[in-house]
Amino acid sequence: MRAPLVPAVVAGCCALLAGCSATVSGNGAGVTVIRGGVGPGIATPAPATPAPVTTTTAPSTTSSAPASSGPTAAIALPDNGNGFTFIQTRSGRTRCQISASSAGCQLVFDQPRPRTDSGDEANGVNVTSDGELSYVLGNLGAIDPVTLDYKTYTARGWFIVANEYGTAFTNRTTGHGMVVSAQGAESF
């Protein structure tokens, strides 16, 4: 059961930002949003002091080796020159485009699916650098995404933290962003 572990991603992002709030467009009908790492029967861990972050160049291949216990290095994703960086999660279920002003992902949400403002079942979510989150309909089409391993990355002014329970996007300037997984999304 994966849902109880999503709060760890949210709690980690909140610890980095010293607080969370959510703003969601669309009605998200039937979607459970877990705030601040607290859910039924889940204790909130004490906030951890974030490790120093350094930037390195992305390797040409990804490794399945576990991350070291030392300082977290943010891997710089390649700039393709068109104003967007395209990524996909290790599972391949989530594909995203990142620009300087927003991060948006296309994925299949678990049932029940969140709804867009027009009432359609969403197949994507978008967050602006100001933390404004909306569920959307979209199709990224034929893109050539970089497949993320369970590590920390940086692209177009965003930190991206990927793990098996979700992907967190944090704007480096504003500190706002989102955590997205098949269970839904939450902005901070």
Side-chain angles (χ1 to χ4, degrees):
M1 183 173 188
R2 296 182 336 168
L5 299 174
V6 172
V9 174
V10 175
C13 291
C14 290
L16 289 172
L17 300 172
C20 283
S21 66
T23 306
V24 179
S25 297
N27 67 12
V31 174
T32 302
V33 176
I34 303 169
R35 293 182 179 11
V38 179
I42 300 170
T44 303
T49 304
V53 176
T54 58
T55 303
T56 60
T57 305
S60 59
T61 61
T62 56
S63 168
S64 60
S68 69
S69 60
T72 303
I75 300 166
L77 294 170
D79 183 346
N80 59 10
N82 69 355
F84 293 98
T85 296
F86 298 106
I87 62 169
Q88 71 180 4
T89 59
R90 185 169 159 178
S91 70
R93 291 184 61 192
T94 304
R95 300 181 332 144
C96 306
Q97 69 178 19
I98 304 158
S99 71
S101 61
S102 67
C105 296
Q106 177 184 343
L107 68 151
V108 177
F109 290 105
D110 289 345
Q111 293 290 340
R113 294 187 177 129
R115 302 267 177 190
T116 66
D117 286 337
S118 63
D120 297 313
E121 284 189 353
N123 71 340
V125 62
N126 189 70
V127 69
T128 65
S129 59
D130 293 330
E132 190 174 317
L133 187 132
S134 57
Y135 286 103
V136 297
L137 288 175
N139 184 346
L140 291 176
I143 59 173
D144 187 21
V146 173
T147 300
L148 303 183
D149 204 346
Y150 299 146
K151 297 182 179 184
T152 301
Y153 300 86
T154 185
R156 302 195 181 272
W158 294 82
F159 281 115
I160 302 105
V161 179
N163 68 38
E164 65 186 289
Y165 307 109
T167 306
F169 297 84
T170 305
N171 184 275
R172 292 169 48 182
T173 302
T174 67
H176 291 291
M178 72 173 168
V179 177
V180 65
S181 71
Q183 288 81 33
E186 181 173 354
S187 65
F188 50 87

